[in-house]
Amino acid sequence: MSQEQTEPRPVAELSYEQARDELVALVATLESGRSGLEESMRLWQRGEELAAHCTTWLDRAERSLGEDGSVDEGSDDAGSAKDAEQD
């Protein structure tokens, strides 16, 4: 069996969902304990990059919501904000 691995897509090219899903799979691999030290370190580094990418996506989304004043009607914060405005 060949040890060749395909090069993963650059993190910057991934959507939030793709990065999150890869991160979840990566964590499961690390938690299984079946990887050697070198492979675990490589996976850990990729996980750090994926986590930072996801954080960037979420921060951008939060800023975007703050800029246009949109609030998710289904969240508790939305109800609290509306109640405070009515008082």
Side-chain angles (χ1 to χ4, degrees), residues 3-78:
Q3 290 289 337
E4 288 185 37
Q5 297 177 349
T6 60
E7 197 64 30
R9 279 180 61 192
V11 172
E13 293 179 7
L14 300 175
S15 69
Y16 170 79
E17 290 81 5
Q18 290 169 325
R20 181 202 58 217
D21 291 348
E22 184 178 337
L23 183 56
V24 167
L26 191 148
V27 168
T29 299
L30 285 170
E31 287 179 340
S32 75
R34 295 182 186 168
S35 299
L37 179 60
E38 190 173 315
E39 176 69 2
S40 293
M41 293 299 294
R42 187 187 66 73
L43 292 172
W44 183 272
Q45 180 61 40
R46 177 74 175 180
E48 290 286 335
E49 293 169 9
L50 291 165
H53 186 65
C54 288
T55 298
T56 298
W57 270 99
L58 293 172
D59 289 346
R60 265 190 258 148
E62 188 175 315
R63 279 193 308 273
S64 176
L65 288 174
E67 289 172 3
D68 68 10
S70 297
V71 178
D72 181 9
E73 295 295 327
S75 76
D76 291 335
D77 291 340

